[in-house]
Amino acid sequence: METSRRAERLSTTTAILAVFTSQLPITVVAVSLSEIADDTGTPIAGLQWMQSLYLLAMAAAVLSAGVIAETVGRKRVIVSALLLMVVGATVGAVASISAGGVMPLLLTAQATAGVGAGALLPTTLATINTTVTDPARRARAVAGWVGGTTGGLAGGVLAGGVLAGGVISQWLSWGWVYVLVAALAAAVAGFAAFALRRAPTSDPGLDVVGQATATLGIVALIFGFIRGGSAGFLSAPALLAYLVAAAAFVVCALHERRTRRPLIPPSMFRAPLFNAAALAAAMALFTVIGTGFLLVVFLGQGLDHDPWRIALHMVFMPGTALVAAFTVTGFLMSRLDAAHVLLCGIISAGLGTFALSQLPGDFTLIDVAWRLAFIGLGVALMISLAAAVAVHSCAPDLAPKAGAVNTAFRQTGGALAPAFLGSLYAAAAAGGGDALNAFTGAVGVIAWLLLGTGLLVMGAIALDRAR
């Protein structure tokens, strides 16, 4: 009995440490983008790819990692995923001292680490669900895991990443942020190899066509947005990318309807609340990643702020998420159902982005802080509740895939944000506008998209009640 409880504790600890590690590069690298641009002469398009690739790779890996883990073993996948993060971060560190080819190395680093990070999400959750047998203990363990991916603990990791990235880039070199990620991933990989037991395997089947077409569609869409920022959103290369993305998504949808073991079961999309939750999840990370990216480019390249000063501005967004997860979320959940709390999050994020789009020219740190606090509160509610709404809107046998698909939508939204919003910022700046107008204009687009998301969620709630 004691041996079993010890295995539960070790598995839970490993799972939470692993998802911490997967979240850290999102902000610790983001704060360093302005220094990377100054050091390498990288244009905004290069920074867009850097930020997008990590989240794109995560989104692609999330969908299939769980199936692969069932086939070859979860312990093997978790340790391998962490080692992939070590390899990716090591390549990033090497890029900082390379004499040439820095951006190709950095893009390789982001993609490699992102695949590892994405593989950790479904496999660590499955490890908890199969190892912790008592329902009450399992619920507490899953709550800790959720806190590491979307809740207060994630907010703490992201806030810590912002400050760590600011300190490292300010007083050392941006290459050391990758050393930090590599060291943490290596330590957690060693702990996982010691702590996790081998679990029985099975052959649930890997949907290669679904995975390939979904990933191709997302990559083509991101390429179209980034290319559109420099050549025009209706230019031939951008339009061709949009057509490739549309074709890939159509092929994916047709294949998923016909295959016996779909990667993305089409039946899930018959539930209005599932669709609303998927959109809300995508918009949540689109909002937080997009706002953070725009803030780094605006403050770093537009106003020439140093990394530590950028970090002091950015930290209010994940910092508020940390507070919200432990206070506001529970308060609202005790009074409203999950869908309406999700709507509250969208409203808060919408108000924050609208206020940020009205930022005055003589702004102070406080002017930015309270606006980011509204965004952080909203995003914390949106991410946490979108997953809950998605899982509960589907049949119980589809719950695991519903969670994975919602996570994939969330990561995809984050990957699209730098591509689309960065292109808007670059186009406005290139057109002769000043940095502030380029920044506020792009943030204003986020506010309008959140308004549309809120209206669609309200419609989904009404349709669900009518059913």
Side-chain angles (χ1 to χ4, degrees):
M1 180 66 178
E2 181 58 33
T3 302
S4 176
R5 291 289 295 274
R6 181 173 182 270
E8 289 183 4
R9 289 193 294 270
L10 288 173
S11 296
T12 301
T13 302
T14 301
I16 294 174
L17 287 174
V19 296
F20 274 11
T21 306
S22 72
Q23 302 300 306
L24 182 62
I26 294 175
T27 51
V28 74
V29 173
V31 178
S32 309
L33 289 177
S34 62
E35 288 298 296
I36 293 173
D38 290 343
D39 195 29
T40 63
T42 301
I44 289 179
L47 301 183
Q48 289 170 279
W49 275 116
M50 271 197 66
Q51 190 79 335
S52 291
L53 265 181
Y54 184 81
L55 293 157
L56 171 61
M58 284 186 76
V62 161
L63 291 172
S64 292
V67 175
I68 295 173
E70 290 299 316
T71 305
V72 304
R74 285 187 292 274
K75 177 178 180 177
R76 185 174 297 174
V77 169
I78 289 172
V79 173
S80 299
L82 287 162
L83 291 178
L84 263 182
M85 291 195 69
V86 173
V87 171
T90 301
V91 172
V94 169
S96 68
I97 57 174
S98 175
V102 176
M103 278 312 297
L105 285 173
L106 285 176
L107 294 178
T108 301
Q110 291 290 94
T112 303
V115 170
L120 289 172
L121 298 182
T123 48
T124 51
L125 181 58
T127 296
I128 291 175
N129 284 330
T130 56
T131 305
V132 184
T133 55
D134 179 73
R137 292 199 301 273
R138 185 190 304 128
R140 289 194 294 270
V142 169
W145 183 91
V146 170
T149 56
T150 63
L153 299 179
V157 172
L158 295 177
V162 167
L163 296 176
V167 169
I168 291 171
S169 297
Q170 177 75 31
W171 286 287
L172 294 173
S173 163
W174 58 264
W176 285 95
V177 302
Y178 286 104
V179 174
L180 172 65
V181 174
L184 178 60
V188 177
F191 184 79
F194 159 76
L196 295 180
R197 293 179 175 180
R198 293 189 181 276
T201 59
S202 60
D203 184 19
L206 182 62
D207 183 3
V208 177
V209 175
Q211 175 74 73
T213 51
T215 303
L216 174 61
I218 298 168
V219 172
L221 194 59
I222 289 173
F223 176 84
F225 285 151
I226 293 178
R227 185 63 177 157
S230 56
F233 287 104
L234 296 179
S235 63
L239 289 175
L240 179 60
Y242 304 150
L243 288 174
V244 171
F249 289 139
V250 169
V251 172
C252 180
L254 292 175
H255 171 75
E256 295 301 283
R257 291 182 63 183
R258 295 173 182 173
T259 187
R260 291 176 54 197
R261 291 185 283 192
L263 182 72
I264 308 171
S267 60
M268 293 189 299
F269 294 95
R270 295 173 191 155
L273 282 178
F274 177 84
N275 297 322
L279 176 61
M283 271 308 302
L285 216 59
F286 183 93
T287 299
V288 70
I289 297 296
T291 302
F293 180 82
L294 290 171
L295 201 60
V296 169
V297 173
F298 168 54
L299 295 177
Q301 295 192 325
L303 301 184
D304 200 28
H305 284 3
D306 58 53
W308 177 243
R309 195 171 176 186
I310 294 173
L312 289 179
H313 284 78
M314 286 184 63
V315 75
F316 288 97
M317 197 157 44
T320 307
L322 172 65
V323 175
F326 288 118
T327 55
V328 180
T329 304
F331 174 80
L332 291 175
M333 284 296 292
S334 66
R335 289 160 175 79
L336 301 170
D337 60 66
H340 283 90
V341 178
L342 174 62
L343 188 58
C344 289
I346 296 170
I347 293 170
S348 177
L351 290 173
T353 50
F354 175 76
L356 192 60
S357 72
Q358 306 300 311
L359 192 69
D362 57 346
F363 69 89
T364 64
L365 177 61
I366 298 301
D367 291 325
V368 175
W370 71 261
R371 290 167 166 87
L372 293 183
F374 269 95
I375 298 172
L377 169 62
V379 167
L381 295 175
M382 288 170 68
I383 293 178
S384 299
L385 275 300
V389 171
V391 169
H392 289 102
S393 65
C394 295
D397 61 311
L398 291 177
K401 283 205 170 183
V405 171
N406 188 265
T407 299
F409 268 92
R410 185 179 76 219
Q411 302 304 130
T412 300
L416 289 172
F420 180 60
L421 297 171
S423 294
L424 293 179
Y425 179 94
D434 62 24
L436 178 63
N437 287 332
F439 171 72
T440 55
V443 173
V445 172
I446 304 176
W448 281 107
L449 290 174
L450 285 166
L451 174 62
T453 301
L455 293 174
L456 289 172
V457 170
M458 290 173 64
I461 294 172
L463 286 174
D464 185 70
R465 285 183 173 177
R467 296 173 70 191

